[in-house]
Amino acid sequence: MTERHRETVRMEIARAAVGLFTAHGVSGTTGDDIARVIGISTRTLWRYFPTKESCVRPLLTEGLDLVAGHLRACPADTPLLEYLDREGLFDGDAPLLEDSVMDLIRMTRAEPGLMAVWLEVHHAAESVFADIIAARSASSADDLSVRVQAAMLNAALRLAAEERARRSPDSPEAPPGGVGGLVRTALTTAAHGLPAFGHGPDA
């Protein structure tokens, strides 16, 4: 089985799991149910994922993988926010979050198992961001300053996604720019450090 095929199956499993979780709840969904929807055996399902909650992981990593790709491609002489704006990352919800992902993130607030997967995904992303920042700054990914930058970037992305999921698209408080606008706001705040306590020396 090729890696591309494995990733395709993993995404099919993730979409089936989210659909069932949305319709029946996590407790009302079994591994057998997820496997049945996409026509595989339950035994095969468990070869891909250890738990039913972890089945959603590919959908949660998709947006973070996209951001990581942009971070790697950002030219050394171009500010990150300027580059992401030029690349269209702040334009509405796509391609950062689709409706099923927003449903999933919304469910994490009431489902501890899904929240654990959401936080694990971001913990892994933080290490990826640290490696990218270290490479750009000729530093070590273990340096505290690099880890703090990675954590700020990671937290900004997580909170923007959670805020978008919290606000119903049909409600008056829905952000006009979708998740893209929220990501822009979150990253701008992160870039300014701690504005509530005054800007740092480099601001």
Side-chain angles (χ1 to χ4, degrees), residues 8-79:
T8 298
V9 174
R10 284 170 59 85
M11 188 59 76
E12 288 178 357
I13 292 172
R15 294 188 190 284
V18 173
L20 289 169
F21 292 164
T22 302
H24 308 293
V26 175
S27 62
T29 301
T30 66
D32 292 337
D33 296 330
I34 299 170
R36 191 179 305 114
V37 166
I38 64 171
I40 62 174
S41 68
T42 306
R43 184 176 180 180
T44 298
L45 176 73
W46 299 139
R47 288 177 183 161
Y48 282 93
F49 299 100
T51 66
K52 63 182 179 181
E53 290 88 353
S54 64
C55 289
V56 304
R57 187 181 180 96
L59 277 171
L60 294 178
T61 61
E62 200 170 30
L64 291 169
D65 290 342
L66 176 67
V67 172
H70 281 303
L71 294 178
R72 293 188 184 96
C74 182
D77 60 349
T78 304

Side-chain angles (χ1 to χ4, degrees), residues 4-5 55 65 68-69 84 97 106 115-116 124 126 154 197 203:
R4 177 175 294 181
H5 179 68
C55 289
D65 290 342
L84 295 180
L97 287 182
R106 201 172 292 119
M115 175 58 80
E126 192 169 305
N154 186 41
F197 296 92

Side-chain angles (χ1 to χ4, degrees), residues 125-184:
E126 192 169 305
S127 295
V128 173
F129 295 158
D131 287 338
I132 296 171
I133 292 168
R136 289 177 63 87
S137 57
S139 304
S140 167
D142 293 328
D143 286 355
L144 180 59
S145 62
V146 170
R147 290 167 55 201
V148 169
Q149 290 179 70
M152 291 174 62
L153 175 60
N154 186 41
L157 294 170
R158 178 178 61 80
L159 291 171
E162 290 176 354
E163 183 68 6
R164 178 64 183 90
R166 184 185 69 81
R167 301 185 187 188
S168 169
D170 301 324
S171 73
E173 63 175 5
V179 72
L182 292 171
V183 169
R184 184 202 299 272

